[in-house]
Amino acid sequence: MHIQKKSILINYRHNPYTDKLPYFSWKLDSGDQGEIQEKYRIIVKKGDVTYWDSGFVKSSDTVGIKYNGKDLPSMSKIDVEVTSVGTIDKSEQIEKTWFRTGKLSDSWQGKWITGWYYNNYYGKTDSPILRKEFELKSNIHNAQLYICGLGYFEACINGKKVGDDYIAVPFTRYDKHSEYFAYDVTSLLDKNNAITVLLGNGFYNCFTDDPWQTAVAEWRDVPKLRCELHVEYKNGTKDVICSDTTWMTSHSPITFNGVRHGESYDANLEQKGVESYGFKYKKDEWQPARRTRGTGGRLVLSEQEPVQVVKKLHPVSKKQTDTGTWVFDVGVDVAGVCNIRYKGKKGEKITIKYGDHISKEGHVDHEAINSFIKNYYFQTEEYTKKSNKPELHNARFTYFGFQYVEIQGGEELSLDDVEVWVFCNAFESRGEFSTQDEYINKIQDMARRSTESCCIGTFAADTVREKSSWTGDTGLSSEQILMNYAAESFMSRWMLDMREAQREDGGYPCIVPSTGWGYIRLNGPDWSQPSVEVPLHLYESTGDKQFLEENFEELEKHISNMSNLADGYIAQFGLGDWCPPFDGPAISVNMSSYKCPVRITDTGYYYSAVVNAQKWAQKLGKRKETKKYAELAENIKESFISHFIDENGVPKGNCQTSTATVLYRGLYPEGKKDFYVKLLKKQIEDNDGKLDFGVLGMKAVSNAMGENGEAECCLDMLRGPEYPSYGHWVDMGTTTLYECWNGLGSHNHHMFSDVSEFFYKYIGGISTSFDGAGYKKILFRPALIEKYGDVKCSINSVKGLIKCNTKFNKNGATLEIKVPVGCEGKLILPKGWKSNTKLLKSGSYKIQLVR
């Protein structure tokens, strides 16, 4: 047995900066079936100073091992050594790694500053540039930059960009907390140096006049900077360069930037040498920085994966419109920016319009979304040329959701002149699912692409219209994102936004962060379910109780709020089964035309929250709460059955969502489970094999069918080519998930992405559970649907690679299964299939199945 190379994680990241208490994880490999770890040892030190030596601990645990040593020093590189000993291979296997601490509790020396002309934010939409020159001694050993620029920032040292991230500062409740970033800049420094920082507005100084009251947010203020550059020399001495009023500031060539609107750049305003040491200031353009107020909240280290360019593409085609503009088709719907080689004459203004809708006349079409804002415009960039030569440029402080790019002005550009930079938080891909069916594979790709497109600092609901996070959408997608990606840090950080948004009475808004909008409506048990779902799936994905511990108090407040608003034990104040099939435009009256009564879905989520609170309490050793929530859950169930189940056993609404809620939540009379499985299947058959649900029904129906041996029926319905279905979307030519089954509304929306979770759990056949959290106990449940061909399904979990591949042959099928070290599996087959193997220890298997 050995520790996998580069598998040690600190707080679920490789070599991170962290201000949190470290939790350690690692993966093991073994050539012996059934081998597990017998004991481990963790040593944490800086140089010759040891801060923690756990000694050998007899345990098979390899995930979420909590640091239990002395206080770590701030702004330091910390070495980690992990030793693992197996039950068969008794040799000590050692692997090493490191992480860095941030400022921890150290006070900031740097001051908050802004551009000299930013005495307030009224009428100011540009991007200030802030600059400082400084000299250093030779023999630099190490240099770390700690920086927060709100809303966004881009820093350069001696003309080289700091970091490989873009618009990295996440949208937070800034008056609760903002996030600073840490960079190793040792290689960028010289004896004589210049640091420049551009500031963007982002969501901090968001001036959009929109329905979500962004422009009147309590936190809104001028763009601002706080930073410290800590330089350590080889002789042990140090220098610190801080943000203060010795910095010089000016206007930049970015004359306009708005995260929902776009960006305007006038290359004629560039100042030659501004990023280099020795730059000469013009008195009428440069003045000392202005001190400004802070944010009113904590400044904490950003500990999620940064937003990066994860892929570069070129358009696949272009067409000229009737007005002479050129429309470039990227071929897929993405989120990001374009790095464009502009051609034209000096002083010529070129307009670039981004979108994923095309009008009948062939133009990028914003008509459907323009009604959401009352000032400026959506997703438009302007560039003014400084010469007659080609000029390369990309927007810095916005991003766009788009498949099409319409360019007006300048000379005709080739496909190679337009390079698409695709943005996403740079978490690792961990899941793979594919079949031999083109439709199913495209649906999986659509779910992943929509998920990636919406992960830009926060888990936004869409890429074009709002770019903010609707709570219910995130909860619905939280299980699949942790199957497809190593997104523990990303989702854990998102839960901080959720906790900070909760009011004292336990209520949540329907979007986070919230300016104050969304607390009064659209925020019932259904759209507040991430307080349950996200920590639950983080725990199930890792087996790490910290995710339950840090969210349990908020869950209790959430339950208290629901109980106070419930009529007896029946809840009815949520949004409902949003976006069922409908005819007509994507407006609220149509998007809320669901069949299932809100009382059923709301009470179902109320019950689920209480059941989970009881399980969490038991796991956390809270006996009083365990008993309390067990009793409350029983009362809700009894009330649900008496209110909503008629004398024939049919739930109110008599629709797929109603019946699936009964099944998925376990809200049926004792002994009646099979009745509801048959009823749900009949409801689908009576609807010509088509779905009749929205996003809540999708979650309930797919899980209810999958758990009860009806995965094939469910897949046929979801994949079917006729409206409404995912297959119909494929035939419409989409490359991402739509908001509405009829293809209207947003064209890149992740809220229906839990179809991917269904694929992994019930078609490929890999899932875990609360009792087997961290994939210590794996349920292998392949659907074995021969008409869709062989299946490849794997998840590179926190414990290691899990695999369940299906290959059909003339004798039946062969399963290729891999169980990681420290885990065990149970094989469940559909009716009509047999195997001599049921229980699996760690190792690799080829299992022949017969009918």
Side-chain angles (χ1 to χ4, degrees):
M1 188 182 74
H2 65 275
I3 303 172
Q4 292 182 22
K5 295 292 183 182
K6 298 183 179 179
S7 72
I8 302 175
L9 303 179
I10 294 90
N11 294 338
Y12 300 97
R13 294 183 63 196
H14 294 282
N15 307 126
Y17 287 85
T18 184
D19 278 350
K20 295 179 180 178
L21 188 71
Y23 284 74
F24 304 96
S25 305
W26 59 92
K27 298 178 183 180
L28 301 171
D29 269 338
S30 175
D32 297 299
Q33 284 189 352
E35 184 172 23
I36 63 173
Q37 177 180 273
E38 182 180 89
K39 57 184 178 180
Y40 69 82
R41 181 185 184 186
I42 302 174
I43 298 174
V44 179
K45 60 184 180 179
K46 178 186 177 184
D48 296 330
V49 180
T50 298
Y51 286 87
W52 184 42
D53 184 343
S54 69
F56 275 105
V57 178
K58 289 188 176 182
S59 173
S60 62
D61 291 340
T62 59
V63 178
I65 309 300
K66 185 177 180 180
Y67 176 79
N68 191 28
K70 295 182 290 186
D71 290 343
L72 294 170
S74 63
M75 298 180 284
S76 298
K77 184 178 180 181
I78 307 297
D79 294 312
V80 179
E81 179 179 288
V82 175
T83 304
S84 179
V85 178
T87 53
I88 298 175
D89 180 358
K90 298 291 186 177
S91 62
E92 295 183 3
Q93 299 295 315
I94 300 174
E95 187 72 14
K96 298 179 180 180
T97 190
W98 55 269
F99 65 95
R100 287 188 179 275
T101 53
K103 287 183 64 65
L104 296 174
S105 59
D106 290 359
S107 298
W108 280 80
Q109 301 175 53
K111 308 301 181 183
W112 286 107
I113 58 174
T114 188
W116 63 264
Y117 56 93
Y118 259 100
N119 59 325
N120 59 57
Y121 58 72
Y122 297 109
K124 299 181 180 71
T125 58
D126 70 331
S127 176
I129 182 170
L130 298 85
R131 189 178 188 280
K132 171 79 174 180
E133 292 190 359
F134 55 96
E135 295 78 37
L136 297 174
K137 306 166 196 171
S138 57
N139 298 317
I140 296 172
H141 172 63
N142 175 56
Q144 304 292 317
L145 177 64
Y146 306 97
I147 180 170
C148 177
L150 299 176
Y152 297 131
F153 72 90
E154 182 177 281
C156 289
I157 295 179
N158 298 327
K160 295 182 180 179
K161 185 179 181 299
V162 174
D164 55 2
D165 45 9
Y166 289 84
I167 57 170
V169 182
F171 179 17
T172 64
R173 177 69 191 252
Y174 302 101
D175 54 353
K176 296 284 188 178
H177 93 274
S178 301
E179 300 189 8
Y180 77 92
F181 289 73
Y183 302 95
D184 187 332
V185 295
T186 308
S187 64
L188 302 182
L189 294 174
D190 209 331
K191 182 177 180 181
N192 298 319
N193 302 276
I195 180 171
T196 57
V197 181
L198 283 167
L199 294 178
N201 293 308
F203 280 102
Y204 183 65
N205 181 31
C206 188
F207 44 79
T208 308
D209 186 356
D210 58 40
W212 313 285
Q213 302 173 2
T214 313
V216 294
E218 293 179 355
W219 60 70
R220 187 182 169 193
D221 199 11
V222 300
K224 58 190 60 176
L225 168 70
R226 188 180 221 181
C227 69
E228 294 176 4
L229 173 60
H230 288 253
V231 181
E232 182 181 356
Y233 300 98
K234 291 180 180 179
N235 63 6
T237 59
K238 298 179 181 180
D239 277 325
V240 183
I241 311 301
C242 299
S243 54
D244 56 28
T245 54
T246 65
W247 287 53
M248 297 296 287
T249 67
S250 183
H251 297 273
S252 80
I254 301 175
T255 58
F256 175 90
N257 70 99
V259 66
R260 292 194 178 105
H261 303 291
E263 191 168 297
S264 297
Y265 188 93
D266 187 345
N268 297 283
L269 300 178
E270 293 176 355
Q271 300 182 57
K272 187 176 181 180
V274 70
E275 295 178 344
S276 302
Y277 183 86
F279 174 74
K280 302 299 182 183
Y281 296 112
K282 294 181 180 180
K283 292 184 179 179
D284 58 338
E285 295 179 3
W286 288 86
Q287 292 186 35
R290 179 188 293 272
R291 281 284 301 275
T292 188
R293 295 176 185 267
T295 62
R298 299 172 296 129
L299 188 54
V300 303
L301 179 61
S302 185
E303 300 199 31
Q304 66 179 6
E305 293 81 0
V307 178
Q308 294 179 344
V309 178
V310 296
K311 189 179 296 183
K312 293 184 179 181
L313 310 169
H314 286 284
V316 296
S317 65
K318 67 175 185 178
K319 290 183 180 179
Q320 192 169 26
T321 68
D322 55 349
T323 59
T325 64
W326 285 94
V327 175
F328 292 78
D329 184 352
V330 180
V332 292
D333 204 330
V334 299
V337 298
C338 284
N339 190 35
I340 300 176
R341 184 182 294 108
Y342 293 102
K343 299 174 182 178
K345 296 180 180 179
K346 174 180 170 59
E348 190 169 8
K349 181 183 287 188
I350 302 169
T351 301
I352 311 93
K353 197 173 180 181
Y354 297 81
D356 50 18
H357 288 65
I358 287 288
S359 70
K360 293 179 180 179
E361 295 74 25
H363 295 278
V364 170
D365 187 3
H366 289 169
E367 182 180 358
I369 59 174
N370 281 337
S371 61
F372 286 93
I373 60 174
K374 297 180 181 178
N375 59 345
Y376 304 105
Y377 39 74
F378 264 118
Q379 296 214 140
T380 302
E381 192 178 351
E382 293 177 337
Y383 183 84
T384 304
K385 292 194 82 269
K386 65 181 177 181
S387 71
N388 295 330
K389 298 179 180 179
E391 297 165 17
L392 197 63
H393 178 76
N394 63 273
R396 287 176 170 88
F397 298 132
T398 186
Y399 73 92
F400 309 106
F402 65 100
Q403 180 175 337
Y404 308 102
V405 183
E406 184 170 0
I407 300 178
Q408 178 182 1
E411 298 176 8
E412 179 184 348
L413 302 182
S414 70
L415 299 181
D416 288 340
D417 289 327
V418 180
E419 185 176 59
V420 178
W421 290 1
V422 180
F423 286 173
C424 181
N425 282 84
F427 33 63
E428 294 180 3
S429 177
R430 70 159 42 128
E432 179 187 0
F433 174 85
S434 64
T435 70
Q436 292 181 297
D437 182 84
E438 181 182 2
Y439 275 75
I440 296 172
N441 294 343
K442 285 185 176 181
I443 294 167
Q444 168 70 356
D445 289 344
M446 288 155 53
R448 284 179 60 102
R449 188 173 291 111
S450 285
T451 299
E452 293 169 8
S453 298
C454 292
C455 292
I456 311 287
T458 188
F459 207 168
D462 73 319
T463 61
V464 176
R465 187 176 64 216
E466 298 166 47
K467 298 180 178 174
S468 54
S469 186
W470 279 75
T471 52
D473 301 36
T474 298
L476 293 167
S477 296
S478 60
E479 187 168 10
Q480 68 81 11
I481 193 176
L482 291 166
M483 291 178 159
N484 280 302
Y485 308 96
E488 283 82 9
S489 295
F490 179 78
M491 295 303 294
S492 177
R493 196 218 66 81
W494 187 89
M495 277 306 300
L496 173 58
D497 291 337
M498 192 74 173
R499 292 194 297 273
E500 288 181 344
Q502 189 177 34
R503 285 181 165 172
E504 283 301 311
D505 67 355
Y508 289 105
C510 56
I511 58 171
V512 296
S514 171
T515 62
W517 184 87
Y519 281 98
I520 305 304
R521 54 187 294 270
L522 312 179
N523 61 330
D526 46 13
W527 249 250
S528 299
Q529 41 79 16
S531 60
V532 183
E533 298 293 324
V534 176
L536 170 65
H537 296 310
L538 281 166
Y539 174 67
E540 288 183 343
S541 177
T542 63
D544 190 342
K545 290 194 296 185
Q546 69 165 309
F547 298 119
L548 306 182
E549 292 168 342
E550 65 187 9
N551 293 289
F552 185 74
E553 181 181 345
E554 284 74 17
L555 176 57
E556 287 201 285
K557 291 169 65 177
H558 171 49
I559 291 172
S560 175
N561 182 61
M562 288 189 290
S563 297
N564 289 334
L565 292 173
D567 182 7
Y569 298 105
I570 302 301
Q572 186 182 359
F573 52 97
L575 186 59
D577 191 19
W578 191 249
C579 286
F582 62 82
D583 295 324
I587 55 178
S588 293
V589 66
N590 290 330
M591 298 164 90
S592 60
S593 59
Y594 36 76
K595 296 180 178 180
C596 180
V598 173
R599 292 184 299 165
I600 285 185
T601 50
D602 268 8
T603 307
Y605 277 105
Y606 178 27
Y607 177 72
S608 174
V610 174
V611 168
N612 273 284
Q614 182 261 321
K615 291 161 65 176
W616 296 14
Q618 187 173 26
K619 180 64 67 175
L620 298 175
K622 299 176 181 290
R623 294 183 180 180
K624 180 180 178 181
E625 290 83 356
T626 301
K627 181 180 178 182
K628 169 185 173 182
Y629 292 121
E631 293 174 353
L632 179 55
E634 188 59 35
N635 288 334
I636 296 171
K637 182 175 181 178
E638 290 178 1
S639 185
F640 182 97
I641 292 171
S642 65
H643 278 79
F644 302 133
I645 306 297
D646 69 17
E647 63 275 10
N648 297 315
V650 178
K652 289 188 183 299
N654 191 17
C655 62
Q656 295 166 17
T657 299
S658 295
T659 303
T661 298
V662 170
L663 263 176
Y664 181 43
R665 302 300 179 189
L667 288 165
Y668 46 79
E670 187 175 352
K672 291 291 186 178
K673 184 177 183 180
D674 289 345
F675 169 82
Y676 289 101
V677 174
K678 293 176 182 177
L679 176 61
L680 178 55
K681 191 173 182 180
K682 184 177 184 299
Q683 288 170 333
I684 294 172
E685 292 170 352
D686 290 347
N687 199 42
D688 297 325
K690 299 176 185 177
L691 61 85
D692 70 357
F693 48 72
V695 289
L696 304 186
M698 174 57 201
K699 172 71 74 173
V701 171
S702 61
N703 277 279
M705 297 290 280
E707 287 175 359
N708 291 286
E710 296 294 346
E712 182 172 0
C713 174
C714 188
L715 181 57
D716 289 346
M717 174 179 63
L718 300 176
R719 179 208 171 278
E722 295 183 15
Y723 169 82
S725 69
Y726 290 89
H728 178 66
W729 283 345
V730 172
D731 282 342
M732 292 177 72
T734 180
T735 60
T736 47
L737 302 177
Y738 287 164
E739 183 178 21
C740 304
W741 292 116
N742 62 5
L744 299 179
S746 167
H747 276 194
N748 198 342
H749 223 81
H750 70 83
M751 67 181 181
F752 278 109
S753 67
D754 52 343
V755 66
S756 182
E757 160 204 332
F758 171 76
F759 289 157
Y760 281 106
K761 291 165 65 174
Y762 306 118
I763 306 302
I766 298 175
S767 61
T768 186
S769 63
F770 189 86
D771 293 332
Y775 293 95
K776 285 186 177 180
K777 295 181 180 180
I778 305 165
L779 189 60
F780 293 103
R781 182 165 36 195
L784 302 175
I785 308 172
E786 191 167 3
K787 64 187 177 185
Y788 296 133
D790 298 344
V791 178
K792 290 184 178 179
C793 184
S794 64
I795 298 174
N796 194 5
S797 74
V798 293
K799 299 287 284 186
L801 181 65
I802 305 168
K803 185 166 65 175
C804 186
N805 293 345
T806 302
K807 291 187 176 181
F808 292 99
N809 53 54
K810 61 182 180 180
N811 297 319
T814 300
L815 292 182
E816 295 180 355
I817 289 179
K818 182 173 177 58
V819 182
V821 173
C823 304
E824 59 185 38
K826 181 179 180 181
L827 180 60
I828 296 179
L829 300 176
K831 293 178 181 178
W833 289 89
K834 296 179 181 180
S835 168
N836 293 326
T837 305
K838 294 288 182 68
L839 300 177
L840 306 166
K841 296 182 179 180
S842 62
S844 298
Y845 300 84
K846 279 193 174 182
I847 303 172
Q848 180 62 40
L849 308 179
V850 295
R851 288 187 178 90

